[in-house]
Amino acid sequence: MSKYEIVIGMEVHAELLTESKQFCGCANVAVAPPNTHVCPVCLGFPGSLPVLNEKSVELSLRTVLAFDSKINKHTIFERKNYFYPDLPKAYQISQRLFTLGEGGCVEIDVAGQDGQVQTKRVGLSDVHMEEDTGKSQHGEAIGDPDSSLVDFNRAGIPLLEIVSAPDMRSIEEAESYMATLRQVLLYLEVSDCKMELGRLRFEASVSLRPFGQEEYGTRVEVKNLNSMKAVRDSLRAEIERQTKILDSGGKVQQQTMLWDEASGTTQPMRSKEQAHDYRYFPEPDLVPIEIDNAWLDRVRAAMPELPRARRQRFQTDYGLSAYDAEILTSTRDIASYYEAALENYNNPKTISNWVANELLGRLNAENKDIIASPVRPTQLRDLVKLIDDGTISGKIAKEVFDEMFMEGRDAILIVREKGLGQISDTSEIEAICQRVIEANPKAVEDYKGGKERSFAALVGGVMKETRGRANPALVNELLKKQLS
Amino acid sequence: MPLTELTAYQLAQQIKTRKISCREVTNEFLSRIEEVEPRVKAFVTVLPDEARRRADLLDKRLAGGEDIGLLGGVPVAVKDLICTRGIRTTCSSKMLENFVPPYDAHVAERLAVEGAVNIGKANMDEFAMGSSTENSAFFPTRNPWNLNCVPGGSSGGSTAAVAAQEAPLALGSDTGGSIRQPAAYCGCVGLKPTYGLVSRYGLIAFASSLDQIGPIANDVRDSALLLQAIAGYDRRDSTSINRAVPDYLASLTGDVKGLRIGVPKEFFVQGVESYVVDAVRAAIDKLCELGAEAVEVSMPSAEYALATYYIIAPSEASSNLARYDGVQYGLRVAEPGDDIIAMYSKTRAAGFGHEVQHRIMIGTHALSSGFYDAYYLKAQKVRTLIRRDFEKAFSQCDVLATPTAPTVAFEIGSKTNDPFSMKLADVCTIPVNMAGLPAISLPCGFQNNLPIGLQLIGNLLDESTLFRAAHAYEQATEWHKQRAVVEKS
């Protein structure tokens, strides 16, 4: 056990799911040939002016409402000035003084001391809007060690920056925070959160302090984290680094570190790139944004149910276990799928099993999203109905489901076409039982001699002949009758 | 009378009625440019081929019975910080010496729609920073009334072109007086419209919250005509005002009866030459003779306007001009082995002239952490006070009358070593930009054969009243009929 308490804060940048960029009409796309979605405005050409994409404010407001932040109804954009080749105007349109949202919190699940899941509130310091920058590529990556190229497709894509308070006390909490935040942003349809494309980016700030000490230790920022794994690994490495410094009586320097995946260490950024005075001032090319109640009401009305609430409701309304509820609300699409399958058919438990086990299992195996499920919710519901009304057994149902998944056809058609319906015709089953008894004199003898297990063999024989379709209860009853 | 002495309004009329052709008009002005331009040097780029081609096209459309617009066939000089598609737009800076915009500014589109012929890109103080056009990186422009004198600035190329009859109309831009002061020095009518009346889309920014494009002309009617052509809402400029544009020509009634003219005493002190005071007072008397009445008003905050301006404008400029870094367009100076910082430094050291560098440094300093509150924030507060002074004044009057500039045009080189006195040239015009109000400068007398300017300041979006008052005064006087005589070279 370390002597030090870990203190972590997170900065999240999420690219918003708008059709066009924040201040011009260029398409907001993550993958495209370099510099194919650019115009004088997002390239910062002389004389060009920004025009605010209102949709970006709306998506930001959704987020602010979801985290219960205080909304600044009178908000402005500001210029953050610094030189960098991928920043076309040499300033980023951002917010600092009157950010869209202030305060609020993200509720995360953490393991309590007794091993029980507990809810923890991670405070937010601010939620603000800004534009993304372009992307620089250097040297070998572009086939020339002496040059750098810039792709401005990303420049001007709307970003939401969510800054947390230093409220996390372990890497696990940081992970839970990231997962929760990501889930909420996805539910809100605010961002597609594709970390591998840089659509969602995390930066962490870490400090250590002796347990019991009130003031925070010196904070180090860690950047260049493009996956959840990178966050986890870099935090671990950075905590280790700081621990060593403190253990040896040294002082942690306040600085920005870059995560180096290859070496598994954090490396200090060049000091030249650290000491910025951003010279913020109000962006004179844009007018203040006034958010009135009517606008807020419209945004509120379009808000989806959030994951935490939906999970709760699934447990109370549908009697699901916490575990099942969590799986079925893991994404908004899965939850919606489940509820669509429940419509007009009240068997939440069985349907939950089918969605959580069979369907998600198959989808995961094929790396498919539930949106692309070949089996529609109503089709899955009809399959469960066939089980419930005795048309097919649970075992046959799995066979039918496989066909449905491959061909996308209705269960009833597959059952009919393949003759998979359960045989419940007494005379037909009687005839088959007769044949099986005649073909297995040894088993009959054993059974009569008291070996109960031989009965199972005879049942198996009937099932084999009917390819499992015989109504098991009827087979039991008729076999016993014939053997007695 | 040579065609070049007609007003734009007359030219448009005669073209419309097919008395003269667009080609003839364009040719006349092009030959005038050939004659006097070597001495005046109003243009960075003259566009003879483009202008003739355009004139021919307009003639063809006219022959086809089309309406070719408010300015059909009238040549216009365009200040070289207004982006023109396919035509280099330099801001009179080495930084943009070879910059060819891939798009037209909103006003350039408006000119095209209204049938104007872009005859050339006018010289200016580099990035509009200056009051004499001596800060052009290429060459100074000369005042057509006296070639040893400056034309004023920063729109000195535009006003000199109009005064020298190289173009009947010109577009300028005004951040602290850059249309009105050179208009006064060159004896033109120059208007700075209400902030937001004319779209800034495609205007290369100096100080975004102050910049405004406006017309430069030989008389008030022409000024109204050109404003009519360029004013109006443009969704590409978020600060553009979405309101119907009035009929400005209809405001030229000649009637000023009952018009209350406010005279702010603070504009008649401190460095304003007595001949200017006399001429402006005489102009006010003239307006009173015509039925207006003068009221004294007070603008106690006005004296802080110049200091405030020299915080706000450089601050915004330091940010606006940061994009000239050698990465995408414009000048790049770098040697093999230079890193990015070296490229930035060398490019910006070579590309910007002294005054521009000076203002970038002032602005960078004013916005720096630790200084922001004392400078920028304080300046914005003073700006609010100035705005309130004007609001109060306009509760007592309809227009304000002041000098445009404290002196007439000065000799080239005479103030280059005295930057403060140079900046005083804008002391009467700057408060207007601070408040976003419209103001017009028109000739009201001469001193040593150099024109004196009368400034009329209007309430927000009340250009009509400005035109009405200016027009009435102009009709009652002869100043605007006098033309500079430039000897042919």
Side-chain angles (χ1 to χ4, degrees):
Chain A
M1 184 72 190
S2 168
K3 299 187 289 231
Y4 307 110
E5 187 179 28
I6 299 165
V7 176
I8 299 172
M10 284 276 179
E11 259 182 53
V12 178
H13 286 92
E15 284 186 346
L16 299 177
L17 266 182
T18 54
E19 301 214 340
S20 53
K21 292 186 179 180
Q22 193 160 23
F23 300 111
C24 65
C26 289
N28 169 0
V29 289
V31 184
N35 297 311
T36 50
H37 293 285
V38 293
C39 73
V41 176
C42 58
L43 290 177
F45 264 48
S48 66
L49 293 171
V51 176
L52 178 62
N53 176 351
E54 280 205 0
K55 181 80 183 176
S56 70
V57 182
E58 218 161 288
L59 296 181
S60 305
L61 279 175
R62 250 186 234 174
T63 314
V64 167
L65 286 171
F67 295 129
D68 217 12
S69 304
K70 174 183 161 266
I71 294 167
N72 275 319
K73 291 192 167 180
H74 172 94
T75 180
I76 58 165
F77 281 105
E78 286 167 272
R79 290 186 184 178
K80 178 180 180 179
N81 296 282
Y82 66 96
F83 286 96
Y84 205 70
D86 65 19
L87 188 65
K89 300 184 294 291
Y91 58 82
Q92 182 184 27
I93 301 179
S94 181
Q95 296 194 293
R96 183 199 49 160
L97 270 185
F98 305 100
T99 56
L100 187 69
E102 270 177 54
C105 73
V106 178
E107 291 185 325
I108 62 169
D109 284 340
V110 295
Q113 281 172 335
D114 53 0
Q116 290 288 308
V117 173
Q118 293 182 347
T119 298
K120 173 169 179 160
R121 297 158 75 95
V122 174
L124 299 180
S125 57
D126 83 79
V127 181
H128 69 256
M129 302 179 283
E130 63 184 24
E131 57 178 342
D132 211 342
T133 64
K135 265 191 273 192
S136 303
Q137 290 185 306
H138 307 287
E140 299 300 346
I142 49 166
D144 176 358
D146 295 326
S147 61
S148 297
L149 295 175
V150 193
D151 175 6
F152 290 107
N153 283 343
R154 201 179 70 174
I157 287 180
L159 277 181
L160 192 65
E161 182 171 341
I162 303 165
V163 185
S164 90
D167 283 352
M168 288 157 272
R169 295 290 174 266
S170 67
I171 295 178
E172 291 70 33
E173 287 188 12
E175 285 185 290
S176 177
Y177 174 78
M178 291 191 293
T180 306
L181 201 69
R182 185 171 178 277
Q183 189 185 39
V184 172
L185 294 179
L186 284 168
Y187 258 71
L188 294 171
E189 289 175 339
V190 152
S191 171
D192 65 19
C193 294
K194 289 179 178 155
M195 284 192 80
E196 69 281 10
L197 297 179
R199 303 287 268 183
L200 183 69
R201 312 196 283 270
F202 290 96
E203 288 171 20
S205 65
V206 199
S207 65
L208 301 182
R209 63 180 171 189
F211 279 101
Q213 179 180 305
E214 238 182 71
E215 70 257 44
Y216 292 121
T218 307
R219 188 171 84 109
V220 170
E221 277 177 51
V222 185
K223 294 188 175 187
N224 194 31
L225 308 173
N226 45 27
S227 67
M228 295 276 190
K229 184 177 179 298
V231 177
R232 190 167 55 232
D233 294 350
S234 67
L235 283 175
R236 200 170 288 146
E238 179 57 25
I239 289 165
E240 203 174 300
R241 188 184 73 86
Q242 292 187 22
T243 303
K244 270 188 196 153
I245 294 174
L246 295 175
D247 277 348
S248 64
K251 270 190 175 169
V252 174
Q253 297 291 313
Q254 179 165 358
Q255 59 185 337
T256 302
M257 308 287 282
L258 293 181
W259 169 240
D260 178 35
E261 188 105 47
S263 69
T265 57
T266 56
Q267 299 290 338
M269 225 170 153
R270 285 188 304 160
S271 58
K272 230 187 207 173
E273 292 169 358
Q274 298 205 24
H276 279 308
D277 177 357
Y278 291 119
R279 289 172 284 124
Y280 280 95
F281 74 103
E283 163 60 285
D285 286 331
L286 290 166
V287 291
I289 307 170
E290 307 295 342
I291 297 158
D292 57 15
N293 289 332
W295 194 2
L296 277 179
D297 288 346
R298 277 201 308 281
V299 175
R300 258 192 212 105
M303 292 272 284
E305 188 180 18
L306 294 173
R308 189 164 272 271
R310 205 163 192 181
R311 202 160 74 212
Q312 212 65 63
R313 185 166 61 80
F314 277 21
Q315 290 179 57
T316 46
D317 286 11
Y318 305 137
L320 301 186
S321 67
Y323 179 78
D324 284 344
E326 184 164 335
I327 292 178
L328 290 176
T329 56
S330 58
T331 75
R332 189 172 161 183
D333 289 333
I334 292 172
S336 301
Y337 185 101
Y338 173 63
E339 293 209 281
L342 278 188
E343 231 170 84
N344 304 320
Y345 193 64
N346 187 25
N347 188 350
K349 197 65 202 143
T350 311
I351 290 179
S352 124
N353 287 337
W354 276 90
V355 174
N357 301 326
E358 301 305 320
L359 181 65
L360 290 181
R362 280 298 293 267
L363 289 169
N364 284 342
E366 299 195 9
N367 207 4
K368 268 190 182 148
D369 198 272
I370 197 155
I371 293 260
S373 167
V375 180
R376 291 194 309 272
T378 50
Q379 290 178 303
L380 190 75
R381 175 198 64 198
D382 291 343
L383 176 68
V384 173
K385 270 189 185 169
L386 289 177
I387 304 167
D388 288 353
D389 68 14
T391 307
I392 52 173
S393 65
K395 192 164 167 248
I396 292 285
K398 292 194 180 177
E399 216 175 291
V400 174
F401 176 79
D402 275 344
E403 296 266 335
M404 291 168 73
F405 195 88
M406 282 184 297
E407 296 168 9
R409 290 195 301 152
D410 287 351
I412 190 70
L413 294 178
I414 296 167
V415 169
R416 271 196 208 130
E417 194 178 289
K418 302 217 157 182
L420 294 173
Q422 201 154 275
I423 302 166
S424 300
D425 178 340
T426 313
S427 58
E428 196 182 339
I429 294 180
E430 257 173 3
I432 298 165
C433 288
Q434 192 61 45
R435 279 205 298 281
V436 171
I437 288 170
E438 279 163 15
N440 295 283
K442 177 91 172 63
V444 173
E445 203 175 305
D446 286 352
Y447 171 70
K448 289 188 170 161
K451 277 191 181 172
E452 276 293 320
R453 262 197 308 171
S454 301
F455 183 75
L458 293 170
V459 172
V462 174
M463 285 300 178
K464 195 176 169 193
E465 275 221 10
T466 58
R467 287 182 294 133
R469 292 157 51 223
N471 182 327
L474 215 51
V475 172
N476 270 335
E477 185 195 323
L478 293 176
L479 260 182
K480 277 191 180 150
K481 206 166 104 190
Q482 288 189 19
L483 288 169
S484 63
Chain B
M1 196 193 266
L3 286 181
T4 53
E5 286 184 19
L6 297 180
T7 66
Y9 184 80
Q10 290 166 333
L11 287 168
Q13 290 297 314
Q14 298 203 10
I15 291 167
K16 202 172 183 178
T17 53
R18 313 283 296 276
K19 287 198 182 102
I20 46 176
S21 70
C22 299
R23 178 67 184 235
E24 274 174 87
V25 172
T26 295
N27 277 343
E28 277 293 307
F29 280 98
L30 284 171
S31 9
R32 173 75 182 170
I33 289 173
E34 242 174 71
E35 283 165 20
V36 303
E37 181 60 8
R39 317 194 98 199
V40 177
K41 299 185 85 65
F43 290 97
V44 174
T45 308
V46 181
L47 300 163
D49 299 338
E50 290 84 348
R52 288 197 181 96
R53 231 179 292 134
R54 170 100 178 122
D56 287 346
L57 183 80
L58 288 166
D59 279 330
K60 211 175 283 168
R61 283 174 46 196
L62 201 56
E66 273 182 63
D67 178 356
I68 57 169
L70 273 178
L71 301 171
V74 177
V76 178
V78 177
K79 188 175 181 181
D80 210 17
L81 47 39
I82 291 168
C83 285
T84 41
R85 184 188 182 129
I87 297 166
R88 77 174 178 145
T89 301
T90 69
C91 281
S92 288
S93 177
K94 281 187 203 144
M95 189 62 90
L96 293 177
E97 190 164 2
N98 297 304
F99 175 65
V100 178
Y103 57 96
D104 269 329
H106 177 75
V107 290
E109 286 175 6
R110 291 296 312 143
L111 288 186
V113 168
E114 295 298 351
V117 175
N118 181 357
I119 202 157
K121 302 297 294 281
N123 197 21
M124 53 188 275
D125 284 302
E126 184 179 4
F127 282 102
M129 298 178 187
S131 310
S132 67
T133 313
E134 291 167 294
N135 293 337
S136 165
F138 307 133
F139 43 79
T141 296
R142 286 158 190 279
N143 191 318
W145 291 91
N146 179 342
L147 295 173
N148 293 323
C149 288
V150 302
S154 66
S155 308
S158 298
T159 54
V162 170
Q165 293 151 47
E166 296 179 276
L169 292 174
L171 286 181
S173 70
D174 190 317
T175 306
S178 279
I179 288 174
R180 290 159 288 157
Q181 183 259 22
Y185 282 11
C186 291
C188 301
V189 176
L191 174 86
K192 183 205 92 77
T194 303
Y195 184 79
L197 181 65
V198 179
S199 167
R200 291 183 296 120
Y201 189 82
L203 167 71
I204 299 183
F206 162 14
S208 313
S209 74
L210 302 164
D211 294 344
Q212 191 61 194
I213 297 170
I216 291 157
N218 277 311
D219 66 16
V220 175
R221 183 178 301 275
D222 279 6
S223 180
L225 182 70
L226 184 48
L227 182 65
Q228 198 80 55
I230 60 172
Y233 177 67
D234 173 20
R235 61 169 302 278
R236 294 170 300 182
D237 175 359
S238 307
T239 61
S240 170
I241 295 169
N242 193 355
R243 240 178 69 163
V245 177
D247 181 349
Y248 296 121
L249 289 174
S251 67
L252 309 180
T253 58
D255 179 11
V256 288
K257 274 192 197 70
L259 189 80
R260 293 169 305 164
I261 299 173
V263 185
K265 54 179 187 286
E266 290 84 356
F267 283 68
F268 290 83
V269 290
Q270 194 202 347
V272 180
E273 295 289 347
S274 58
Y275 59 80
V276 173
V277 172
D278 293 347
V280 171
R281 294 249 182 238
I284 294 166
D285 291 346
K286 188 74 185 175
L287 280 162
C288 290
E289 265 173 48
L290 297 170
E293 53 181 287
V295 280
E296 189 156 297
V297 296
S298 176
M299 308 222 24
S301 304
E303 66 168 303
Y304 304 110
L306 192 69
T308 306
Y309 174 85
Y310 275 99
I311 297 295
I312 291 173
S315 293
E316 292 181 8
S318 71
S319 174
N320 283 331
L321 271 64
R323 72 190 64 195
Y324 308 111
D325 56 8
V327 174
Q328 281 192 74
Y329 46 75
L331 183 74
R332 175 189 291 179
V333 183
E335 276 131 59
D338 278 354
D339 66 4
I340 189 75
I341 307 283
M343 181 180 106
Y344 289 155
S345 308
K346 288 180 185 174
T347 300
R348 291 168 67 78
F352 291 137
H354 177 265
E355 183 65 24
V356 174
Q357 292 188 16
H358 183 70
R359 296 203 198 189
I360 288 173
M361 282 189 274
I362 291 177
T364 304
H365 180 70
L367 291 176
S368 299
S369 103
F371 296 98
Y372 180 85
D373 289 0
Y375 292 132
Y376 191 81
L377 202 62
K378 184 75 145 274
Q380 289 294 7
K381 287 178 185 165
V382 176
R383 193 171 176 180
T384 305
L385 295 179
I386 295 170
R387 201 177 281 137
R388 282 194 199 139
D389 273 5
F390 275 113
E391 276 166 21
K392 200 169 151 232
F394 281 114
S395 67
Q396 299 163 266
C397 64
D398 304 305
V399 295
L400 295 165
T402 75
T404 306
T407 66
V408 290
F410 48 87
E411 275 188 27
I412 292 176
S414 66
K415 289 194 181 180
T416 37
N417 292 322
D418 186 4
F420 184 70
S421 130
M422 178 86 92
K423 286 174 172 98
L424 275 181
D426 298 324
V427 71
C428 299
T429 47
I430 278 174
V432 176
N433 298 76
M434 289 291 161
L437 299 170
I440 195 166
S441 175
L442 67 162
C444 67
F446 284 88
Q447 174 75 7
N448 298 331
N449 196 38
L450 286 167
I452 300 171
L454 163 71
Q455 173 173 245
L456 298 175
I457 305 167
N459 210 340
L460 284 172
L461 288 170
D462 197 13
E463 279 77 2
S464 295
T465 302
L466 279 187
F467 283 135
R468 180 157 64 93
H471 176 71
Y473 173 76
E474 182 186 81
Q475 294 309 300
T477 54
E478 298 285 311
W479 312 115
H480 68 289
K481 292 185 180 157
Q482 300 193 36
R483 292 294 163 94
V485 179
V486 184
E487 282 173 42
K488 296 174 186 174
S489 40

